[in-house]
């Protein structure tokens, strides 16, 4: 009975995550391959067991309550552990072939690349291709088996989940700040040169950071590559909006007005519906999810 109860508990959490990610019972049911009444029953049972309301219900869908927001990372950690256990079949010949993972340069270079050897060790028959570049990967055209992006999917036949949020701040080299006028408020930012993206080559609007900071701010030095921007900034080229997890790789960078200027973005993982049951795709997706669960402070 204890084993059955644990399984039922996980099933409730699985349905909870589906609703949290999709926003409606019907969309969650479609993602899980069930019906909306079953999803509703699991949500009700979870709320009764935890004695807390997980969602606000409205005509527009389901939004997480404060209790739901607290539960989500716990449920995602449970999911990651479950998926990792399911994927640890290193002697299983089914986990073989080539897996191609497409990811933004920051996520691919700073997070995945240093960890990818673990995936190779788990599955000796698996060959791994990591495309760490600033672009959108078409899963329908098989440009990648797994795509990491900054937005939720636009195509119905793509299975998606939010991986993690991450923070961005303005950074500059300590030498640059010592040699230029002080920055005491956001109004001072327009007097400084910025390093940033080439605006007409942005592959997603989520990267249009400077327009979120304030008027009159333009990048004088521009690159499509986040790593290039970070190195240019570390060399004293100017101010730059960078993810905190990238800035930490450059000890000479200093946050500028971190309390006044802070942005948040999210990473999502996408898998084409045709591939989601493939053993090698499931193994790689489980690995990415598990590594994120085991690195809670990396994107903080």
């Amino acid at each position: 009975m204890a084993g059955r109860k644990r399984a039922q508990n996980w099933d409730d959490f699985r349905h909870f995550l589906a609703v949290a990610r999709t926003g409606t019972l019907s969309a969650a049911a479609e993602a899980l391959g069930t019906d909306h009444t079953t999803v509703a029953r699991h949500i009700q049972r979870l709320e009764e067991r935890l004695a807390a309301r997980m969602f606000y219900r409205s005509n527009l869908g389901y939004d997480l309550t404060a209790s739901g927001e607290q539960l989500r990372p716990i449920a995602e950690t449970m999911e990651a552990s479950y998926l990792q256990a399911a994927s640890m079949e290193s002697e299983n010949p089914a986990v073989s072939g080539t897996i191609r993972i497409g990811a933004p340069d920051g996520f691919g270079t700073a997070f995945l690349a240093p960890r990818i050897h673990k995936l190779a060790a788990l599955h000796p028959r698996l060959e791994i291709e990591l495309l760490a570049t600033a672009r959108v990967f078409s899963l329908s055209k098989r440009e990648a088996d797994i795509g990491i992006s900054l937005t939720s999917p636009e195509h119905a036949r793509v299975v998606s989940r939010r991986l993690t949020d991450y923070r961005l701040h303005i950074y500059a080299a300590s030498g640059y700040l010592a040699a230029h006028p002080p920055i005491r408020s956001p109004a001072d930012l327009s007097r400084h040169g910025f390093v940033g993206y080439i605006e007409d080559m942005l592959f997603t609007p989520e990267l249009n950071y400077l327009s979120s900071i304030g008027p009159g701010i333009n990048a004088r030095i521009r690159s499509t590559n986040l790593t290039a921007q970070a190195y240019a900034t570390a060399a004293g080229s100017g101010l730059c909006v960078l993810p905190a997890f990238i800035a930490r790789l450059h000890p000479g960078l200093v946050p500028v007005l971190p309390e006044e200027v802070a942005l948040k973005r999210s990473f999502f993982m996408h898998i084409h519906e045709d591939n989601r049951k493939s053993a090698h795709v499931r193994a790689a997706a489980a690995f990415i999810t598990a590594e994120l669960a085991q690195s809670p402070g990396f994107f903080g």
Side-chain angles (χ1 to χ4, degrees), residues 5-294:
K5 187 173 183 180
R6 282 195 295 271
Q8 289 175 341
N9 279 340
W10 162 241
D11 221 25
D12 293 340
F13 286 113
R14 184 168 66 93
H15 285 76
F16 163 78
L17 285 174
V19 176
R21 290 165 181 162
T22 62
T24 66
L25 294 180
S26 57
E30 183 177 355
L32 294 171
T34 185
D35 58 80
H36 73 280
T37 56
T38 300
V39 177
R41 184 169 65 251
H42 282 284
I43 297 302
Q44 180 180 359
R45 185 164 60 188
L46 181 66
E47 291 180 329
E48 288 174 353
R49 284 176 171 169
L50 299 181
R53 190 176 182 184
M54 297 294 111
F55 295 98
Y56 296 113
R57 281 83 161 171
S58 73
N59 293 332
L60 298 177
Y62 279 52
D63 294 315
L64 287 170
T65 63
S67 296
E69 292 285 3
Q70 290 179 343
L71 179 63
R72 180 169 183 162
I74 298 171
E76 288 179 337
T77 299
M78 293 172 62
E79 179 187 52
S81 299
Y82 174 82
L83 290 173
Q84 186 179 40
S87 74
M88 293 182 67
E89 302 168 355
S90 59
E91 300 305 318
N92 184 350
V95 183
S96 61
T98 301
I99 184 75
R100 177 175 288 183
I101 305 169
D105 47 343
F107 186 95
T109 301
F111 184 77
L112 277 184
R115 293 166 172 79
I116 210 71
H117 68 281
K118 299 180 185 179
L119 178 60
L122 277 174
H123 305 288
R125 293 174 174 265
L126 189 64
E127 296 184 7
I128 305 161
E129 296 179 350
L130 176 58
L131 281 63
T133 185
R135 54 164 292 195
V136 174
F137 298 92
S138 174
L139 302 182
S140 61
K141 294 179 180 178
R142 303 300 189 262
E143 292 180 345
D145 300 304
I146 296 175
I148 310 297
S149 79
L150 301 175
T151 58
S152 55
E154 297 180 358
H155 304 288
R157 301 198 66 214
V158 172
V159 180
S160 174
R161 62 158 295 172
R162 184 184 66 84
L163 288 176
T164 185
D165 297 331
Y166 65 98
R167 300 286 177 178
L168 305 101
H169 297 283
I170 299 173
Y171 291 89
S174 55
Y176 173 90
L177 294 175
H180 290 78
I183 304 172
R184 298 189 178 92
S185 73
D188 297 325
L189 295 174
S190 61
R191 305 191 190 104
H192 291 261
F194 271 76
V195 177
Y197 284 98
I198 302 172
E199 196 166 329
D200 61 357
M201 296 184 71
L202 289 174
F203 71 96
T204 177
E206 276 70 24
L207 296 179
N208 190 10
Y209 306 134
L210 299 186
S211 64
S212 303
I213 295 175
I217 297 176
N218 297 295
R220 183 183 176 197
I221 297 175
R222 298 180 284 273
S223 173
T224 59
N225 185 276
L226 179 61
T227 304
Q229 293 179 31
Y231 274 102
T233 306
S237 298
L239 309 182
C240 185
V241 178
L242 292 169
F245 70 90
I246 294 293
R248 283 198 297 268
L249 301 176
H250 301 270
L253 290 179
V254 178
V256 176
L257 303 177
E259 299 299 324
E260 292 90 337
V261 183
L263 304 177
K264 183 177 80 170
R265 296 292 188 269
S266 302
F267 287 121
F268 296 84
M269 179 167 63
H270 310 303
I271 300 171
H272 197 278
E273 195 174 61
D274 292 346
N275 291 335
R276 66 172 177 160
K277 293 185 179 180
S278 300
H280 69 308
V281 174
R282 292 180 60 189
F287 168 79
I288 293 170
T289 304
E291 285 298 311
L292 281 164
Q294 293 167 17

